[in-house]
Amino acid sequence: MLQTVDRALHLVRLVASRGEVTLTEVAGSLQVSPSMAHRLLRTCADAGFLDQPLRNGAYTVGPALRHIAADVRRGSTLPTLLGGVLRQVAEGLLETTSLAVLEGRNIRFVLTEEGTHLVRIARPVRTVTPAHATAAGRALLAGLTDDDLEARYQKATLETVQPGTIQDWAQLKAEIKKVRNRDWAIQVGEAQPGVAALAMPVRDGSGQSVAAVTVTVPYLRLSRSEDARSLARRLRPFVDQMERRLALSSAR
């Protein structure tokens, strides 16, 4: 099993470095039989990592691999593009604010600016956190299609980060629907006791949600519905500014 996985990874690296490979080239490089090379190629192609534009032709980089490369590139460039605005958010709202990206069923915080409020949250405790338990994760999950959401979650066991964390697929779907309707997400004590957060998706020039901005506060400052609506109104201009920067960047 491990040998097969190692061969598949070697195959993906081979195609990524060369741009395209033939069955004969794969068999020679991996030192396997043509039938084994064909099985590996078809397995990677079925998973979207490779593509075969022409029947019996060479294999090229597939859409899944391109998406992974784009996600990694965004994770490294977003702090540079949006870091200045994130500082403005922390200064303007006096609260700790973070930029997060989606990685499978998790989110990763790629940048955090600490607020200056007398009572504030320092920084996210976990760099990688289950998306369903966080405001940033829900904001990003809401930007996926229903099919993509189901593929990620319908048969998955949702990790219980805190006692109040969303527990099942039906509950998550209902919460995602709310997020789509109002264009912001909230969680109170589900990722960390005593801590609440509100997040908005940040979309690029094509309308795709590529990150989320999260404002993290002591839960008492988000205990009422009006508190959340007020914070969302104050956050919106900063998100609009981030999206303008992304649109200009992609247009260059």
Side-chain angles (χ1 to χ4, degrees), residues 1-9 36 40:
M1 177 65 177
L2 289 178
Q3 185 180 36
T4 301
V5 172
D6 183 66
R7 285 170 173 169
L9 292 173
M36 172 61 76
L40 288 169

Side-chain angles (χ1 to χ4, degrees), residues 4-27:
T4 301
V5 172
D6 183 66
R7 285 170 173 169
L9 292 173
H10 185 97
L11 171 57
V12 170
R13 288 196 299 269
L14 184 67
V15 179
S17 63
R18 295 187 183 182
E20 66 174 38
V21 294
T22 64
L23 187 151
T24 301
E25 290 171 336
V26 170

Side-chain angles (χ1 to χ4, degrees), residues 24 50 63 100 103-104 111 155 172 184 186 196 200 213 215:
T24 301
L50 302 183
E103 295 182 352
L111 187 63
K155 296 181 180 179
L172 179 59
W184 51 267
I186 187 172
M200 283 185 176
V213 177
V215 180

Side-chain angles (χ1 to χ4, degrees), residues 96-214:
T96 297
T97 183
S98 305
L99 195 67
V101 295
L102 187 64
E103 295 182 352
R105 292 194 293 271
N106 297 316
I107 59 160
R108 179 180 296 277
F109 292 104
V110 296
L111 187 63
T112 296
E113 293 289 341
E114 192 167 311
T116 56
H117 200 288
L118 185 61
V119 179
R120 62 186 182 272
I121 303 302
R123 289 176 182 269
V125 175
R126 300 172 67 175
T127 302
V128 177
T129 307
H132 72 279
T134 64
R138 294 170 191 173
L140 289 166
L141 291 173
L144 302 178
T145 65
D146 288 339
D147 288 343
D148 196 355
L149 271 174
E150 289 195 20
R152 294 184 192 220
Y153 281 102
Q154 199 167 27
K155 296 181 180 179
T157 300
L158 302 185
E159 179 182 343
T160 301
V161 180
Q162 293 294 327
T165 305
I166 286 177
Q167 300 291 318
D168 57 47
W169 168 238
Q171 193 179 2
L172 179 59
K173 277 202 305 183
E175 186 63 28
I176 293 301
K177 184 177 180 180
K178 292 179 184 177
V179 176
R180 287 172 174 168
N181 288 337
R182 65 194 178 202
D183 207 29
W184 51 267
I186 187 172
Q187 68 82 16
V188 179
E190 295 177 59
Q192 185 179 346
V195 175
L198 184 143
M200 283 185 176
V202 181
R203 299 178 177 90
D204 62 15
S206 67
Q208 180 182 359
S209 297
V210 297
V213 177
T214 302

Side-chain angles (χ1 to χ4, degrees), residues 7-91:
R7 285 170 173 169
L9 292 173
H10 185 97
L11 171 57
V12 170
R13 288 196 299 269
L14 184 67
V15 179
S17 63
R18 295 187 183 182
E20 66 174 38
V21 294
T22 64
L23 187 151
T24 301
E25 290 171 336
V26 170
S29 179
L30 299 184
Q31 297 183 339
V32 297
S33 66
S35 61
M36 172 61 76
H38 182 261
R39 286 198 296 273
L40 288 169
L41 285 163
R42 290 313 314 162
T43 297
C44 291
D46 290 342
F49 291 103
L50 302 183
D51 191 18
Q52 189 181 30
L54 299 176
R55 183 180 176 83
N56 298 325
Y59 287 80
T60 62
V61 172
L65 194 57
R66 294 184 190 279
H67 289 161
I68 291 172
D71 288 343
V72 171
R73 191 161 53 248
R74 278 199 298 269
S76 61
T77 59
L78 283 175
T80 301
L81 284 172
L82 306 181
V85 183
L86 197 71
R87 283 191 294 275
Q88 293 177 30
V89 179
E91 292 168 359

Side-chain angles (χ1 to χ4, degrees), residues 200-238:
M200 283 185 176
V202 181
R203 299 178 177 90
D204 62 15
S206 67
Q208 180 182 359
S209 297
V210 297
V213 177
T214 302
V215 180
T216 308
V217 303
Y219 79 97
L220 287 176
R221 293 212 283 274
L222 274 180
S223 60
R224 301 176 305 163
S225 298
E226 179 51 37
D227 295 333
R229 289 193 291 268
S230 175
L231 181 56
R233 287 193 296 268
R234 295 165 63 201
L235 180 59
R236 171 54 62 190
F238 296 106

